[in-house]
């Protein structure tokens, strides 16, 4: 019961029918098994679909034998050769799903690498709830996506584009940081930065991603970013910060929150998960 999958730089997208009665919250995870891989062991992955969607979706990075074999199994050529879609066994959902984000007037979501998967579900869930005029406390979400190259996670761009199209109330503000260009103000990155800003101003789109989201070059200046939120939302006294990704990323976010919390201004509550 698998729909055709698409692949991108080591990430396989699986989309399959949602079992009857399967209820979950955005950001939760499931375990899946595939007997055609020669084992009945289950592996955990975060759902990238949102609760309102009729199908479930996973974006799985091939980083070990099982995920690499899964990727090979669901290639187009292999599916044609088999003549059918291998069955997946599903267990779950599990986890709290970062649900605390909805309890803050302003929330900051920071995703790095494959750690962006729970936020893909949350962002779609947020804009659907708001468009349906559901009563939610959260009034603004800032999503920081940290990636080495823009091509590395183009599937995230597709999800952000979908969110932007649904987000008529502009509840979500997306900032993309491309870290491959480490020196932000050398000649090359300065020209890229100037070109990007001009294109964004004229067309309200990023030259590099085609999104309304702002593209930055270099690593996120978390302290400066959180400080700017205090100026934009002076009436908010507590903000939620949720990070998911490599330990180095979540550690930098934690340090920034601790530094900001020494000041007598808004308090930043940090929750994190490492991959």
């Amino acid at each position: 019961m698998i729909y055709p999958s698409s692949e991108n730089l080591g990430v396989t997208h699986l989309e399959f029918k949602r079992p009857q009665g399967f209820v979950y919250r955005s950001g939760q995870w499931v375990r899946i098994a595939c007997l055609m891989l020669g084992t009945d062991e289950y592996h955990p992955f975060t759902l990238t679909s949102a609760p309102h969607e009729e199908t479930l979706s996973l974006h799985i990075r091939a980083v070990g034998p099982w995920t690499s074999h899964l990727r090979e199994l669901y290639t187009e050529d292999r599916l044609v050769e088999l003549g059918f879609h291998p069955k997946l066994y599903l267990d779950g959902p599990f986890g709290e799903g970062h649900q605390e984000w909805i309890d803050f007037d302003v929330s900051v979501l920071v995703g790095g690498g494959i750690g962006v998967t729970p936020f893909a579900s949350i962002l779609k869930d947020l804009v659907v709830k708001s468009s349906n005029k559901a009563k939610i406390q959260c009034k603004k979400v800032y999503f920081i996506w940290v990636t080495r190259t823009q091509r590395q996670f183009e599937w995230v761009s597709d999800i952000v584009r979908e969110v932007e199209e649904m987000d008529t109330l502009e509840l979500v503000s997306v900032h993309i940081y491309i870290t491959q260009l480490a020196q932000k103000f050398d000649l090359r990155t300065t020209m890229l930065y100037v070109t990007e800003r001009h294109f964004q101003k004229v067309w309200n789109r990023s030259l590099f991603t085609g999104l309304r989201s702002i593209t930055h070059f270099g690593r996120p200046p978390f302290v400066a970013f959180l400080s700017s939120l205090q100026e934009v939302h002076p009436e908010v006294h507590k903000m939620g910060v949720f990070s998911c990704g490599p330990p180095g990323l979540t550690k930098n976010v934690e340090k920034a929150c601790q530094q900001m919390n020494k000041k007598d201004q808004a308090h930043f509550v940090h929750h994190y998960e490492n991959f």
Side-chain angles (χ1 to χ4, degrees):
M1 286 65 73
I2 309 296
Y3 292 108
S5 63
S6 61
E7 305 174 15
N8 175 264
L9 293 178
V11 175
T12 301
H13 175 203
L14 292 181
E15 184 176 352
F16 48 97
K17 291 181 180 179
R18 182 173 178 170
Q20 187 174 1
F22 186 87
V23 178
Y24 70 102
R25 296 180 297 176
S26 56
Q28 288 191 301
W29 55 278
V30 296
R31 300 192 308 155
I32 63 169
C34 181
L35 297 184
M36 281 205 66
L37 296 181
T39 175
D40 60 356
E41 62 185 17
Y42 281 80
H43 293 257
F45 301 99
T46 303
L47 288 163
T48 51
S49 52
H52 68 277
E53 296 179 297
E54 295 182 358
T55 58
L56 301 179
S57 65
L58 300 168
H59 287 77
I60 301 172
R61 187 176 62 174
V63 291
W66 191 88
T67 51
S68 296
H69 292 154
L70 183 77
R71 174 177 171 81
E72 293 167 3
L73 182 62
Y74 285 105
T75 59
E76 220 172 287
D77 291 342
R78 184 76 173 113
L79 292 176
V80 170
E81 180 184 331
L82 290 172
F84 63 92
H85 291 88
K87 184 180 292 186
L88 287 182
Y89 293 86
L90 181 72
D91 185 24
F94 302 100
E96 293 304 313
H98 290 275
Q99 291 304 308
E100 295 89 348
W101 65 268
I102 207 168
D103 297 328
F104 295 89
D105 291 332
V106 176
S107 284
V108 181
L109 313 180
V110 184
I114 202 67
V116 303
T117 49
F119 302 134
S121 176
I122 287 172
L123 292 175
K124 288 190 286 187
D125 191 25
L126 170 66
V127 294
V128 167
K129 279 185 168 66
S130 64
S131 62
N132 292 337
K133 297 182 179 180
K135 291 184 178 180
I136 56 175
Q137 181 176 337
C138 193
K139 301 298 187 293
K140 188 71 177 183
V141 167
Y142 294 88
F143 174 48
I144 299 177
W145 169 29
V146 185
T147 179
R148 186 171 179 273
T149 66
Q150 191 271 329
R151 286 193 66 242
Q152 191 173 13
F153 288 99
E154 286 183 346
W155 62 270
V156 182
S157 297
D158 294 336
I159 291 175
V160 172
R161 186 174 294 107
E162 181 184 349
V163 169
E164 289 182 343
E165 291 173 357
M166 294 189 297
D167 187 20
T168 56
L169 300 178
E170 297 185 357
L171 294 177
V172 179
S173 176
V174 180
H175 295 260
I176 300 171
Y177 286 85
I178 300 176
T179 61
Q180 186 181 44
L181 305 174
Q183 299 300 319
K184 183 175 179 180
F185 292 111
D186 65 12
L187 181 59
R188 180 176 61 156
T189 53
T190 298
M191 291 304 297
L192 287 171
Y193 193 83
V194 170
T195 304
E196 168 73 358
R197 286 295 166 270
H198 177 72
F199 196 89
Q200 186 95 26
K201 185 176 181 180
V202 174
W203 299 103
N204 195 31
R205 295 278 172 184
S206 167
L207 174 64
F208 301 95
T209 64
L211 303 171
R212 293 201 302 268
S213 314
I214 300 172
T215 302
H216 308 267
F217 305 102
R219 300 186 181 281
F222 290 117
V223 172
F225 188 88
L226 296 180
S227 180
S228 70
L229 297 188
Q230 292 183 328
E231 298 177 11
V232 177
H233 305 281
E235 76 288 353
V236 178
H237 302 297
K238 184 183 290 186
M239 302 187 193
V241 181
F242 304 86
S243 61
C244 188
L249 174 72
T250 57
K251 186 177 181 179
N252 288 336
V253 175
E254 175 63 21
K255 285 182 177 179
C257 290
Q258 290 179 358
Q259 187 172 333
M260 292 301 300
N261 289 341
K262 292 178 181 178
K263 302 178 181 179
D264 188 23
Q265 297 184 59
H267 185 77
F268 294 90
V269 182
H270 184 213
H271 302 261
Y272 67 92
E273 287 185 14
N274 289 329
F275 277 84

